[in-house]
């Protein structure tokens, strides 16, 4: 069944393998369709922004943490001073007010652990 890329975002697209759309049951002629009707819902889905991500020039930019796998995120929860209050490398305990910190590089000069996840 010939369908064009746009079909996926079209209101008339049937999502049926045996029928392309209501107006062109066998698919549109050529690679553009005069009856294309942008599906507002499909559009909304496309522009969905995960938490912490944003659009720049139409491109979805993910914050570094979003690229981590779930496993890595769990590890981060277990090891990151933001959550544990301790340096994962030397165990240095961060100040009591560590929840307000933005940078998490280890203050212990002999350790030198640098936070590269935030
Ligand atoms: Zn350290």
């Amino acid at each position: 069944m010939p369908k064009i890329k746009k079909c996926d975002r079209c209101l008339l697209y049937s999502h049926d393998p045996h029928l392309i759309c209501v107006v062109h049951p066998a698919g549109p002629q050529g690679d553009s369709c005069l009856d294309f009707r942008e599906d507002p819902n499909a559009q909304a889905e496309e522009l969905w922004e995960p938490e912490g991500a944003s659009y720049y020039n139409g491109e979805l930019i993910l914050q570094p943490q979003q690229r981590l796998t779930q496993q890595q995120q769990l590890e981060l929860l277990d090891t990151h001073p933001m959550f544990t209050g301790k340096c994962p490398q030397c165990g240095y305990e961060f100040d009591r007010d560590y929840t307000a910190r933005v940078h998490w590089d280890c203050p212990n000069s002999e350790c030198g652990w640098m936070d590269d996840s935030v």
Side-chain angles (χ1 to χ4, degrees):
M1 278 291 187
K3 73 169 172 113
I4 59 177
K5 261 190 178 176
K6 266 183 165 181
C7 288
D8 290 321
R9 289 191 292 118
C10 182
L11 270 179
L12 302 170
Y13 183 49
S14 69
H15 295 275
D16 182 324
H18 306 293
L19 176 87
I20 300 292
C21 87
V22 187
V23 181
H24 306 278
Q29 299 288 315
D31 55 5
S32 69
C33 181
L34 290 174
D35 299 298
F36 173 74
R37 311 253 173 91
E38 188 112 31
D39 184 342
N41 294 325
Q43 180 73 359
E45 200 174 314
E46 204 177 308
L47 290 175
W48 173 75
E49 289 185 13
E51 211 176 312
S54 31
Y55 278 91
Y56 296 103
N57 299 323
E59 238 185 289
L60 185 65
I61 309 295
L62 296 179
Q63 302 302 317
Q65 267 171 295
Q66 302 258 326
R67 295 200 199 96
L68 299 177
T69 64
Q70 199 182 9
Q71 178 66 29
Q72 283 172 316
Q73 284 177 346
L74 288 174
E75 274 175 31
L76 198 64
L77 279 172
D78 281 343
T79 60
H80 197 281
M82 190 191 293
F83 307 106
T84 64
K86 287 182 188 170
C87 169
Q89 193 163 291
C90 72
Y92 177 94
E93 290 204 30
F94 282 75
D95 294 337
R96 222 52 190 109
D97 65 341
Y98 64 82
T99 48
R101 295 179 69 103
V102 180
H103 299 289
W104 293 95
D105 301 344
C106 182
N108 178 358
S109 55
E110 283 171 39
C111 166
W113 181 81
M114 304 261 280
D115 175 29
D116 56 5
S117 64
V118 180

